[in-house]
Short mmCIF file of all heavy atoms in Angstrom, two decimals:
data_model
loop_
_atom_site.label_atom_id
_atom_site.label_comp_id
_atom_site.label_asym_id
_atom_site.label_seq_id
_atom_site.Cartn_x
_atom_site.Cartn_y
_atom_site.Cartn_z
N THR A 154 10.13 0.54 16.95
CA THR A 154 8.73 0.29 17.29
C THR A 154 8.15 -0.90 16.53
O THR A 154 7.48 -1.75 17.11
CB THR A 154 7.89 1.55 17.01
OG1 THR A 154 8.43 2.65 17.77
CG2 THR A 154 6.44 1.32 17.42
N GLY A 155 8.38 -0.98 15.22
CA GLY A 155 7.84 -2.08 14.44
C GLY A 155 8.30 -3.43 14.92
O GLY A 155 7.51 -4.37 15.07
N GLN A 156 9.59 -3.55 15.20
CA GLN A 156 10.14 -4.82 15.65
C GLN A 156 9.62 -5.19 17.04
O GLN A 156 9.31 -6.35 17.33
CB GLN A 156 11.67 -4.75 15.68
CG GLN A 156 12.30 -4.67 14.30
CD GLN A 156 12.46 -3.25 13.79
OE1 GLN A 156 11.66 -2.38 14.10
NE2 GLN A 156 13.49 -3.01 13.01
N MET A 157 9.53 -4.18 17.92
CA MET A 157 8.99 -4.44 19.26
C MET A 157 7.54 -4.89 19.18
O MET A 157 7.12 -5.80 19.91
CB MET A 157 9.12 -3.18 20.12
CG MET A 157 10.53 -2.86 20.55
SD MET A 157 10.57 -1.34 21.54
CE MET A 157 12.27 -1.38 22.12
N LEU A 158 6.76 -4.25 18.31
CA LEU A 158 5.36 -4.62 18.17
C LEU A 158 5.22 -6.06 17.69
O LEU A 158 4.39 -6.82 18.21
CB LEU A 158 4.67 -3.67 17.19
CG LEU A 158 3.21 -4.00 16.85
CD1 LEU A 158 2.34 -3.98 18.09
CD2 LEU A 158 2.67 -3.04 15.80
N ALA A 159 6.01 -6.45 16.70
CA ALA A 159 5.96 -7.83 16.20
C ALA A 159 6.29 -8.81 17.32
O ALA A 159 5.65 -9.87 17.45
CB ALA A 159 6.92 -8.00 15.03
N GLY A 160 7.27 -8.47 18.15
CA GLY A 160 7.63 -9.33 19.26
C GLY A 160 6.51 -9.44 20.29
O GLY A 160 6.22 -10.53 20.80
N LEU A 161 5.87 -8.32 20.60
CA LEU A 161 4.78 -8.33 21.59
C LEU A 161 3.58 -9.12 21.09
O LEU A 161 2.89 -9.80 21.86
CB LEU A 161 4.36 -6.89 21.91
CG LEU A 161 5.36 -6.03 22.69
CD1 LEU A 161 4.90 -4.58 22.73
CD2 LEU A 161 5.55 -6.57 24.11
N LEU A 162 3.31 -9.04 19.78
CA LEU A 162 2.17 -9.74 19.20
C LEU A 162 2.47 -11.20 18.89
O LEU A 162 1.56 -12.01 18.72
CB LEU A 162 1.73 -9.04 17.91
CG LEU A 162 1.07 -7.67 18.06
CD1 LEU A 162 0.94 -7.00 16.69
CD2 LEU A 162 -0.29 -7.78 18.73
N GLY A 163 3.76 -11.53 18.75
CA GLY A 163 4.13 -12.86 18.31
C GLY A 163 3.89 -13.06 16.83
O GLY A 163 3.67 -14.19 16.37
N TRP A 164 3.93 -11.98 16.06
CA TRP A 164 3.70 -12.02 14.61
C TRP A 164 5.03 -12.07 13.86
O TRP A 164 6.08 -11.67 14.38
CB TRP A 164 2.93 -10.80 14.15
CG TRP A 164 1.50 -10.73 14.58
CD1 TRP A 164 0.85 -11.59 15.42
CD2 TRP A 164 0.54 -9.73 14.18
NE1 TRP A 164 -0.45 -11.19 15.57
CE2 TRP A 164 -0.68 -10.06 14.82
CE3 TRP A 164 0.60 -8.61 13.36
CZ2 TRP A 164 -1.82 -9.30 14.66
CZ3 TRP A 164 -0.54 -7.86 13.19
CH2 TRP A 164 -1.74 -8.19 13.83
N GLY A 165 4.96 -12.52 12.61
CA GLY A 165 6.11 -12.40 11.74
C GLY A 165 6.32 -10.95 11.34
O GLY A 165 5.39 -10.14 11.37
N GLN A 166 7.53 -10.63 10.94
CA GLN A 166 7.84 -9.26 10.55
C GLN A 166 8.73 -9.24 9.32
O GLN A 166 9.54 -10.14 9.11
CB GLN A 166 8.50 -8.50 11.69
CG GLN A 166 9.83 -9.12 12.14
CD GLN A 166 10.52 -8.29 13.20
OE1 GLN A 166 10.87 -7.13 12.96
NE2 GLN A 166 10.73 -8.87 14.37
N ALA A 167 8.55 -8.21 8.50
CA ALA A 167 9.41 -7.98 7.34
C ALA A 167 9.74 -6.50 7.34
O ALA A 167 8.86 -5.65 7.19
CB ALA A 167 8.70 -8.38 6.05
N THR A 168 11.01 -6.18 7.53
CA THR A 168 11.41 -4.79 7.74
C THR A 168 12.01 -4.18 6.47
O THR A 168 12.43 -4.88 5.56
CB THR A 168 12.46 -4.70 8.87
OG1 THR A 168 13.59 -5.50 8.53
CG2 THR A 168 11.86 -5.23 10.17
N GLN A 169 12.00 -2.85 6.43
CA GLN A 169 12.66 -2.06 5.38
C GLN A 169 12.18 -2.48 3.98
O GLN A 169 12.96 -2.72 3.07
CB GLN A 169 14.17 -2.18 5.49
CG GLN A 169 14.72 -1.62 6.80
CD GLN A 169 16.19 -1.90 6.97
OE1 GLN A 169 16.59 -2.99 7.36
NE2 GLN A 169 17.00 -0.90 6.67
N ALA A 170 10.86 -2.52 3.82
CA ALA A 170 10.28 -2.99 2.56
C ALA A 170 10.49 -2.01 1.42
O ALA A 170 10.19 -0.82 1.55
CB ALA A 170 8.78 -3.25 2.76
N ALA A 171 10.99 -2.51 0.30
CA ALA A 171 11.09 -1.73 -0.93
C ALA A 171 9.98 -2.14 -1.91
O ALA A 171 9.75 -1.46 -2.90
CB ALA A 171 12.45 -1.93 -1.59
N LYS A 172 9.31 -3.27 -1.62
CA LYS A 172 8.17 -3.73 -2.41
C LYS A 172 7.33 -4.64 -1.54
O LYS A 172 7.87 -5.46 -0.79
CB LYS A 172 8.64 -4.48 -3.66
CG LYS A 172 7.51 -4.95 -4.57
CD LYS A 172 8.06 -5.69 -5.79
CE LYS A 172 6.93 -6.19 -6.67
NZ LYS A 172 7.44 -6.95 -7.84
N VAL A 173 6.02 -4.49 -1.60
CA VAL A 173 5.10 -5.29 -0.78
C VAL A 173 4.04 -5.90 -1.69
O VAL A 173 3.43 -5.21 -2.50
CB VAL A 173 4.41 -4.44 0.31
CG1 VAL A 173 3.43 -5.29 1.10
CG2 VAL A 173 5.45 -3.82 1.24
N ASP A 174 3.83 -7.21 -1.52
CA ASP A 174 2.80 -7.90 -2.29
C ASP A 174 2.13 -8.92 -1.37
O ASP A 174 2.81 -9.67 -0.66
CB ASP A 174 3.42 -8.59 -3.50
CG ASP A 174 2.36 -9.16 -4.44
OD1 ASP A 174 1.22 -8.67 -4.41
OD2 ASP A 174 2.68 -10.11 -5.18
N VAL A 175 0.82 -8.92 -1.37
CA VAL A 175 0.06 -9.89 -0.58
C VAL A 175 -0.41 -11.00 -1.50
O VAL A 175 -1.12 -10.75 -2.48
CB VAL A 175 -1.14 -9.23 0.14
CG1 VAL A 175 -1.92 -10.28 0.93
CG2 VAL A 175 -0.65 -8.12 1.06
N GLN A 176 0.01 -12.22 -1.19
CA GLN A 176 -0.34 -13.39 -1.99
C GLN A 176 -1.04 -14.40 -1.10
O GLN A 176 -0.41 -15.11 -0.32
CB GLN A 176 0.90 -14.01 -2.63
CG GLN A 176 1.67 -13.07 -3.56
CD GLN A 176 2.93 -13.69 -4.12
OE1 GLN A 176 3.28 -14.83 -3.82
NE2 GLN A 176 3.65 -12.92 -4.94
N GLY A 177 -2.37 -14.43 -1.20
CA GLY A 177 -3.13 -15.33 -0.36
C GLY A 177 -3.00 -14.97 1.11
O GLY A 177 -3.33 -13.86 1.52
#
Side-chain angles (χ1 to χ4, degrees):
T154 303
Q156 291 89 328
M157 288 179 171
L158 175 60
L161 291 171
L162 290 169
W164 290 5
Q166 60 175 300
T168 59
Q169 297 173 279
K172 182 180 179 181
V173 178
D174 188 23
V175 179
Q176 300 177 0

